[in-house]
Amino acid sequence: MIKNVKKLTCGLRGEITIPADKSVSHRAVMFSSIARGKCIINNFSSGADCWSTLNIFKQLGVEINEIDKKTIKITSNGNLVQSNLPLDAGNSGTTTRLLSGILAGQAFDSKIIGDISLSKRPMKRIIEPLTLMGAQIDSVDGHLPMLIRGAKLRGIKYNSPIASAQVKSCILLAGLNAEGTTIYSEVYPSRNHTELMLAYLGANIETEKNTVKIQPSILEAKDINIVGDISSAAFFMAAGMIVPNSNFIIKNVGVNSTRTGIIDVINRMGGVVELLNYRVESGEECADINIKYNENIKGCVIEGEDIPRLIDELPVIAVIASQADGDTIVKNAEDLRNKESDRIKCIVTELSKIGVNIEETADGFVVHGKTVLEGNAELNSYNDHRLAMSFYVAGLICKKEIAINGFEWTKISFPEFEELMAILSTNSR
Ligand code: S3P
């Protein structure tokens, strides 16, 4: 589907509520499915990725009822049963990698498949540590389809070479069902939703700096209220920063400090962002965010431990950087090449078409600002939801209309994106 985006002639105004966090939604369904008892998950994500997870756990024999699209009831005795059909993770890396950790220690075999994009993504990063734990996994040279043969697992001490919450979560979930202690360390802290939710459900888990230790534990089901997704909110924060006269509130955004790299970058650039109504929901920090346009933003360096805290926001940060004075330099983000697309190459190729002065580097990119965006081009989303939405935000300030192909892929994480953008644009007229 082609989406045409025109320059917005007035600022974004009013108030929106951001839908549920994708990472937390996946974990809520997975962990409630392997917990004992009944629970209600409130404010579940409408993104297709989270529904891939939900459908897989139904297939694994868990009683999952949709009270409505956002309210899910799960009843489980903590056990899963074998599925005769392959488990289809669709486009979702989180589903695949976390699920593998759960399935590796079961008493049955499972096959995981995915779409074209997911089938190109690297799985050795989980296969290697899981194999050290005793897992038996066949893959196509480290890619899906993957056959996981149920095995008895033993705890390991693992130093991960990458800061990946998916790898960390996979190993911790395997550790939940392994003999002995599992200790996982990473170079920089990645998002910690797994640790927080496992602790909330009663697991024996401890974190000290960049190291997490888990003992085999039984989880007890508890209701979970899911906070809004800061990665979805980031598209609006970016739009608010670059569309003149914008001033609006984004309600119910998860502000877990392992995810707030985008807020730090906005502050470093001299943007205007304020957190209001700070609170905690089911173990996750949450706030409303006020964002205001400021024409004097400046470039900054984003590197090292910043990266896992804003990994999914880097495409839209490139758009913001085009409106900042000076250079914005992104380093140590080589894993961006392993996302739903090679996000480094794709951002650089597509944003260059509309006049962004951006250069590709091996582990990131450099944006030289500030530039007037001409538009008048068709941008390829490479079927990557975050690229499609980042390009839409850029389109709001292009002199001439742009077209984005594959816009329907926004359904992967944020089907409500355009509807919410329309609310803020209508309020300003
Ligand atoms: C996620 C972790 C990140 C992120 C992805 C969701 C998660 O991936 O990019 O969108 O829910 O754990 P990596 O762990 O591969 O960095």
Side-chain angles (χ1 to χ4, degrees), residues 22-23 27 94 97 125 163-166 191 311-312 335 339 386:
K22 182 159 85 73
S23 291
R27 287 159 172 81
T94 307
R97 297 190 178 118
R125 56 182 62 196
S164 160
Q166 293 179 356
R191 63 189 70 187
I311 185 78
D312 293 337
D335 211 30
K339 296 292 177 186
R386 298 206 196 275

